[in-house]
Amino acid sequence: MTLRPFVPWPDKRLRTAAAPVDEITDEIHALWADMVETMDAMPGVGLAAPQIGVMLQVAVVDATPDRSRRILLANPTVLMASDEVEAGTEASPNLPGVHAEIVRPKAVTVRFLNAQGVIDRRDFEGLEARSAQHQIDHLAGRMYFDNLGRVKRDMLIRRARKLR
């Protein structure tokens, strides 16, 4: 396992949709292992492969305090989202030092390829749902601040540039 460096914003890879995974190989398992180690070294609760420069639809989520429920996802898509929404703080190691309150569905159902290469479906709620949606956004070339209005988004990016 290897701790991977984060791609810094505004690297174009963060704005590019990742390629789907055809099958779960040893390389994908090794990537997941690196991503879990990298996620565990930061304060976040999920990580998408483009954040570390790998342009594949691969993500990890673990919103438990003791990191006991690692969910490995390939090609995740949201099938259903709850009508109930909630605001929560989001940030990214790709744009350190800033964060924003983002409103997202409180619960989602996600379809994905699991570690055995089988199409799976899982319900996520609360922080786990927020993290899954955040990672799926990354895989589509979106950042969390794309969910803000233009004025708030521009203010956040200006603030981040001042921190560099």
Side-chain angles (χ1 to χ4, degrees):
M1 293 186 294
T2 304
L3 195 64
R4 302 272 192 114
F6 296 105
V7 171
W9 173 262
D11 189 294
K12 68 179 181 173
R13 290 172 287 184
L14 296 170
R15 288 303 205 189
T16 304
V21 172
D22 294 326
E23 64 179 319
I24 304 304
T25 61
D26 290 343
E27 289 80 16
I28 297 298
H29 281 283
L31 174 60
W32 270 325
D34 289 354
M35 290 174 67
V36 165
E37 184 173 343
T38 303
M39 176 185 66
D40 285 349
M42 65 176 197
V45 294
L47 185 64
Q51 293 182 268
I52 56 171
V54 178
M55 299 310 296
L56 293 172
Q57 290 184 20
V58 175
V60 295
V61 171
D62 191 341
T64 59
D66 63 352
R67 300 287 190 177
S68 61
R69 192 167 133 162
R70 301 181 190 298
I71 304 163
L72 310 176
L73 310 122
N75 304 337
T77 57
V78 174
L79 296 177
M80 293 184 291
S82 67
D83 291 335
E84 187 178 357
V85 296
E86 66 182 1
T89 302
E90 295 188 29
S92 175
N94 304 98
L95 190 65
V98 294
H99 60 275
E101 286 292 309
I102 305 296
V103 175
R104 293 193 187 265
K106 188 174 183 174
V108 292
T109 300
V110 176
R111 180 183 152 188
F112 59 98
L113 272 178
N114 65 23
Q116 291 73 42
V118 176
I119 295 174
D120 205 344
R121 179 183 173 138
R122 184 180 203 119
D123 295 327
F124 294 88
E125 289 187 37
L127 182 57
E128 201 172 63
R130 176 171 301 283
S131 180
Q133 293 171 82
H134 183 108
Q135 307 325 314
I136 290 169
D137 278 355
H138 274 301
L139 298 176
R142 292 177 45 87
M143 296 286 288
Y144 71 93
F145 53 77
D146 291 325
N147 294 301
L148 297 171
R150 184 176 183 171
V151 171
K152 286 184 179 180
R153 181 180 62 240
D154 290 349
M155 286 173 48
L156 182 136
I157 292 170
R158 274 196 305 276
R159 201 166 56 242
R161 284 187 179 132
K162 288 180 183 178
L163 294 172
R164 285 192 219 168

